[in-house]
Amino acid sequence: MSIKQTIERIAAESAEGLGSVYWTGCGQSLGAMHPAHYFLRRQVTTISSFWENAREFAFAPPAGLNASSLLVANSHSGNTQEVVAAASAAKDRGAQVASLIYKDGSALGDKSDGVIKYEWGPDRHPGLEKSACALRLAVEIARRACGYSQYSEFAEAFESIDPIVARAREASCGAVRDFAGRNRESRQYYVVGGGASYGAAYNEVIALLQSLWIHAGLMHSGEFRHGPIEIVDGDATFIVLANPGASGDAEREACDFIRAHTDRCLLLDSGELGLLELPESAREYFGFAVFSNVLELFNRRLSELREHPLSTKRYMAQA
């Protein structure tokens, strides 16, 4: 069964009487679920959407978790202990479980009512990465729950995202490699994002901490002027992720302030990197695909310059 068929079947079985959707995972698997949650929260009035860490979900299940709920659980291996425990907690409450997994045969898959196998690796299609698959599921849920009127525009966006990401990587490669070179010795990064870009900002912080052993902090753009603004100086390095239109205004305002006080700020605007080609209703939700693929180039270059392979771990299992 294809990814599309699997998503359609899960959505069809879940949408009737569905009252809530929970998106969960750990680390970057959690961050990848955020655009889907953000879309459902913004676009569907009849279904509540929640984005929660899998360990917290498992050991402190939401009171509203019941037979009208769907848990969408993401684990790359399908065997992440906390995510499997979250699926068990959902099943104990009578909820359905849909899982996003890369590998076949897993404990999470065994506990799921449906499995979506996403693409990963150097030859992956951005439109079939884990975050895109979660977004596809969210859009299918919206169509079946309330006849989502912009469904055809999202279908067009999914068809267009792969070449857009390829061009974004090519267009930004020089800038991100130069930024990595100028800030190779930086000991502290802050990543700023909000709205549909928050999950990508979250994941970049995880990448800096986990794969590069660089101190990094996450700043929500809406909170930037309410405390984090005071940390801006000549020592800290900033990465700001902004989406097209008004949804990225807070990020661009933060970038303007940062750049007025330091030159150590990289702005990635997914609109300038190609998302303006997509239908307006869909643009902001595809920022994750652009950001994650462009930041992959940055992280790889920083890894080379610091002579620190991205796969090197001190405490985590070498999976």
Side-chain angles (χ1 to χ4, degrees):
M1 186 179 292
S2 69
I3 287 178
K4 184 176 188 296
Q5 291 171 326
T6 304
I7 288 172
E8 289 176 345
R9 181 176 62 79
I10 293 171
E13 293 176 356
S14 304
E16 186 174 354
L18 185 63
S20 57
V21 178
Y22 296 87
W23 309 86
T24 198
C26 293
Q28 292 187 319
S29 291
L30 175 61
M33 309 294 272
H34 187 268
H37 154 68
Y38 186 75
F39 164 82
L40 210 58
R41 186 183 70 81
R42 289 278 312 277
Q43 300 297 334
V44 180
T45 61
T46 58
I47 299 174
S48 299
S49 183
F50 305 91
W51 181 69
E52 301 190 18
N53 168 268
R55 179 171 180 140
E56 187 164 329
F57 183 95
F59 294 103
L65 179 65
N66 54 39
S68 66
S69 302
L70 171 67
L71 174 70
V72 186
N74 185 8
S75 167
H76 189 69
S77 67
N79 294 308
T80 307
Q81 181 178 354
E82 295 89 340
V83 182
V84 175
S88 295
K91 299 301 290 183
D92 288 345
R93 297 286 188 90
Q96 290 200 83
V97 175
S99 60
L100 277 79
I101 305 172
Y102 172 66
K103 296 181 179 179
D104 292 318
S106 66
L108 179 59
D110 291 342
K111 291 182 177 295
S112 301
D113 299 288
V115 175
I116 300 168
K117 189 170 181 287
Y118 57 82
E119 292 189 4
W120 180 75
D123 297 323
R124 69 190 183 277
H125 295 87
L128 295 175
E129 293 174 340
K130 65 176 76 174
S131 184
C133 287
L135 183 58
R136 288 175 186 268
L137 176 55
V139 175
E140 284 292 339
I141 289 172
R143 179 170 74 93
R144 294 175 184 276
C146 60
Y148 184 55
S149 60
Q150 278 83 44
Y151 181 83
S152 61
E153 296 180 2
F154 267 84
E156 178 184 337
F158 280 118
E159 289 294 321
S160 304
I161 193 60
D162 285 9
I164 286 175
V165 168
R167 291 194 296 272
R169 285 171 63 94
E170 183 177 357
S172 60
C173 183
V176 298
R177 287 175 62 87
D178 175 70
F179 188 75
R182 288 188 287 108
N183 296 282
R184 60 185 295 178
E185 302 298 333
S186 180
R187 301 180 62 185
Q188 176 68 64
Y189 278 81
Y190 293 101
V191 188
V192 183
S197 73
Y198 188 74
Y202 179 95
N203 274 21
E204 178 59 12
V205 169
I206 296 291
L208 291 167
L209 293 169
Q210 172 185 314
S211 300
L212 287 158
W213 301 357
I214 296 174
H215 291 278
L218 175 64
M219 291 184 178
H220 192 288
S221 56
E223 291 289 331
F224 181 75
R225 292 186 174 273
H226 302 278
I229 194 171
E230 289 297 329
I231 202 65
V232 177
D233 56 26
D235 295 323
T237 305
F238 294 84
I239 298 173
V240 181
L241 308 181
N243 277 313
S247 65
D249 284 351
E251 289 79 23
R252 285 184 284 272
E253 289 170 7
C255 180
D256 289 343
F257 180 88
I258 295 167
R259 284 181 168 176
H261 295 83
T262 177
D263 62 355
R264 302 176 74 166
C265 179
L266 173 68
L267 172 66
L268 296 179
D269 189 319
S270 62
E272 295 178 356
L273 290 171
L275 290 195
L276 291 179
E277 299 175 28
L278 298 182
E280 186 174 359
S281 62
R283 287 172 189 166
E284 64 176 310
Y285 303 108
F286 287 83
F288 188 101
V290 170
F291 297 136
S292 62
N293 279 275
V294 170
L295 287 169
E296 180 181 54
L297 301 175
F298 170 76
N299 295 338
R300 188 182 304 156
R301 181 55 178 161
L302 204 56
S303 168
E304 295 168 352
L305 293 168
R306 295 172 72 100
E307 298 182 351
H308 181 107
L310 294 172
S311 60
T312 302
K313 303 290 186 296
R314 282 183 290 200
Y315 310 115
M316 298 177 68
Q318 299 287 327

